[in-house]
Each structure stands twice: as C-alpha cells, then as structure tokens.
Amino acid sequence: MAKLFTNVMIFDATGRAPFPGEVLIQGNRIGKVAEGVNQIAREGAGDLVDGQGMTLMPGMTEGHCHMSFIGVAAPAELGETPPEEHTLATMHNARLLLDHGFTSVYAAASAKPRLDVVIRNEVNAGRIPGPRIRAASPEITVTAGLGDERKLHLHRESFALIADGVDEIRRICRTCIREGVDNLKINISGDEFVTHCKAEMTVMMDDEIATAVTIAHDFGKQIACHARAANSVKRAVRHGVDVIYHCDFADEEALDMLESVKEKIFVGPAVGLLHNTLYEAEAYGMTREVCESMGFYRKMEATKATYREMRRRGIRVVPGGDYGFAWTPQGTNARDLEHFVKLFGYTPTEALLSATKIGGELMAMGDELGQVKEGYLADLLLVRGNPVQDVSVLQHQHNLAMIMKDGVAHKLDLRAQAGQIAAE
C-alpha cells in the first residue's frame, strides 16, 4: 500500500538543511521526494499522512551493536547466562532497538556464536520485529586478551572465543562463517577492565590478524576489531580490517594511516561506555577514585582529541557506544549523537549523517539505505522536533511519531504535541 507523507520537514541526509516537502512511499521503497506543497499527485498515492510539520528523516544505524549484551555488570555474566534465556533476551533487545529508531544495526560481537544469526534470521523471516541486522561472531581473542576470563583453576566463559596462532584463528573464523555470521570481530588490543591486558597493549600478532582478515574477505564477509592502542590501530589498517573500533590512543602515524584508507574503512569510538563509566556508574563501584586509578579520565581526553582530529580529516565515524552493560542500557543508544556534538565537535548535521548516510554505507547498502531519496529503501523516522537543531530529541521515544522499516510502520502515533503523550 502506498503512503504519501505531506506537511513534513525533510532531512534527506545529503548534508542539505531540512526543507518542507512531501514523500511518497511505494511498497518498501521511496517513490518520490518533492520540495514544497501539493507537488505529488494525490490520485493513486494511497494513504495520506499529515506529518504536522514534523521532521521526516532516515532511520538510524547502530554502528557498534551488542544485541546480546543484556545489562550485565561483568563480562563473565554473559557466559553464565543459559543460551535459552539469552536468546529471548537478545530478541527483546532487537525490538527495543527498533522501538528507539534504529532500523539497522551493525553487530560488533555476539555474546554466543549464533545469537545474532538466529535473531537476524527470525527478523528477516518476519516472525519477530527488529532492525536490519549484520550478524557478528563473538569477539575472537587470544589467551590473556580481552574476553579471556579463564583461570588455571577455573574455566569461565564471557563474550569471546579464544584462539592462539594462525591455525586456531583460521578454524574459529571459518566455524563462525559456517554458522552464518556477516561480520567477524577480533580483539587486537586490551582494555582497562582487564588487569593483565590494558588498553594500550597490542596482543594479537600480525599473522593472526592477517589470517582472520583473509578468511573474512575470502568468504565475502566483513571484519571488525577492538583496537585501543596506537599499534593495534596500525596493525588493523596494515592488514585490511574493515571496521576499527575505539582508536583512543591513535598517534599521528596511526591517524595518517587511517586517513590513507578513509574511503575503505569505518571507525567507531564507542564512547558511550566510557562516558557512563566516568559519570553514571558510581553505583557499580566506579567511583571517581577508581576511574582515576584505572586511567579512564586520561582515556576520555585521548578519545576526544582523536575524534576531533578524525572529524577534521574526514574519516567516516559511526555511532554506537557499547550499549548493553548495566550502566549503558539498551535503548539509550541515541545518546551517542549528542556525544559526537559535545565531545568531538561535530555539528548536529554531521552527527545525524554518521547515523544515517554513513550508517547505510557501513551496512554495505549505501546505494539504497540511509537517505531520503527516490529508489531508496523506506526506513524512515517521523520526529517531533528538529534534530538538526538538537540531536537529543532522538533520545526520547515520545518524539518518534513514526518508525518505518522496509515500508511498514512499526510505530505510527500522530498526536500532534509531545506534551499530550505520557513519557515512555
């Protein structure tokens, strides 16, 4: 059934300022986009939807998504969750992300090998609601790397698969691909949460990285990595990793290398977890003193400097902030756009483009996703307020009057004033 949206301000994600116009949806595609009033013939246009001056924009892409991270305070809790309960919780998170305007997600690791795959398949089959999903493997790490929660006297699982050396990396990567993932994820560096493997340590070897990248690309898949240390970023670029997360401590050489491949790669700061650890996690033991002792304030300053420089160099950066921990609850993911503005110096328009146009490119669908453009897929939001003036409006469900994916309205609530709607 066709739908014609009238009386809307169109943010088309081309970089142009919002403009008054009309948009015709035909099937699952955008049929026409017109500037002005009464520019599209009403005959045969199907349902007319008066947008009441609201902003019509592309759906957002969550670029560092952990759908199967279910509010845990420690990584080992993900390993302790039984697969049956974990599958259901991941299913609920998929709907929650769609409920908050994320019509696409690029998975940055699954907590168990097939969680993302199963949910993607069910969404694609139309049996459960959820966004478009590029399903990921668990985080592939090395002994003593980020995600290795084992002790000599105690076997523990977390969110990782552990592989040492080329042969083990090859086997695990091929196994994950056999099981249906779209993306592989490798942990090249450590993290402050790991006592023996800190963020500025590079612990995955060149031959291990090269093997994982080769396997991914040989099978037509993408590969992402966790890389905080400058040297880990350089190894990722050198070996052709597609999506490089964090990069907090990238030095000048690493930034130069990233810029040299900026037409090929994507970068994501995942700053939401860092921000909330510093300012919203005291109830979980992350006091100012603890954060200071673990180096989080220093890392925030490094992250801000790195991403201000990436913005200047035109490197493609995507939102997504390691949501799914106890102090970064799923559904609050749109806070990342405000972080881009306040922490990294992005304009609101630039932040929106990161979540829409660049998000479509990240999903490997840049020629049909992420813009309000004729022929593109009808993944759209109708927003109360003007996100170009204030990106924070996207953080509130009551401001999302419509969420449309593939031409179907997942939500449609045209009450004119946000004040008429109870806070959700």
Side-chain angles (χ1 to χ4, degrees), residues 118-337:
V118 168
I119 301 304
R120 178 203 63 199
N121 292 349
E122 289 297 293
V123 169
N124 288 350
R127 289 188 284 266
I128 61 174
R132 301 179 189 277
I133 299 166
R134 283 192 63 96
S137 70
E139 304 193 21
I140 299 168
T141 194
V142 296
T143 295
L146 171 63
D148 182 4
E149 297 285 327
R150 304 169 301 172
K151 305 290 183 185
L152 281 176
H153 68 287
L154 179 66
H155 184 85
R156 300 170 74 186
E157 299 286 348
S158 64
F159 49 71
L161 299 173
I162 300 160
D164 295 304
V166 168
D167 289 344
E168 290 187 17
I169 291 283
R170 184 185 294 121
R171 177 183 57 80
I172 280 185
C173 288
R174 286 174 174 165
T175 299
C176 291
I177 290 168
R178 182 193 68 197
E179 296 303 310
V181 305
D182 302 302
N183 313 324
L184 294 175
K185 170 73 175 290
I186 57 176
N187 289 348
I188 302 178
S189 79
D191 208 293
E192 282 84 359
F193 287 105
V194 186
T195 57
H196 53 269
C197 184
K198 296 298 185 182
E200 293 177 78
M201 296 179 180
T202 301
V203 296
M204 186 171 279
M205 303 298 291
D206 280 289
D207 58 352
E208 294 171 325
I209 300 165
T211 297
V213 172
T214 298
I215 295 295
H217 291 168
D218 281 354
F219 281 91
K221 308 297 182 180
Q222 291 186 3
I223 184 163
C225 74
H226 172 102
R228 296 195 184 276
N231 196 36
S232 67
V233 174
K234 296 169 194 176
R235 289 187 186 180
V237 174
R238 192 175 298 120
H239 295 295
V241 173
D242 301 299
V243 184
I244 306 174
Y245 290 125
H246 307 302
C247 304
D248 313 79
F249 298 105
D251 59 18
E252 193 73 15
E253 182 185 10
L255 288 166
D256 288 345
M257 291 176 69
L258 288 167
E259 186 177 9
S260 73
V261 293
K262 68 181 182 180
E263 302 301 323
K264 299 178 181 178
I265 58 100
F266 300 86
V267 176
V271 75
L273 178 59
L274 176 58
H275 174 276
N276 288 16
T277 299
L278 286 172
Y279 306 117
E280 300 178 15
E282 189 168 354
Y284 300 94
M286 300 308 298
T287 63
R288 182 176 183 85
E289 293 73 22
V290 169
C291 288
E292 187 71 58
S293 70
M294 296 178 72
F296 286 124
Y297 289 100
R298 173 176 171 270
K299 182 161 82 171
M300 177 60 88
E301 292 308 308
T303 301
K304 289 193 291 187
T306 293
Y307 281 91
R308 288 170 182 158
E309 181 63 15
M310 287 200 194
R311 173 181 177 264
R312 188 188 71 80
R313 292 170 181 247
I315 295 168
R316 292 181 295 181
V317 179
V318 294
D322 266 327
Y323 293 94
F325 289 98
W327 53 95
T328 55
Q330 299 280 7
T332 62
N333 311 59
R335 294 185 71 183
D336 261 38
L337 278 69

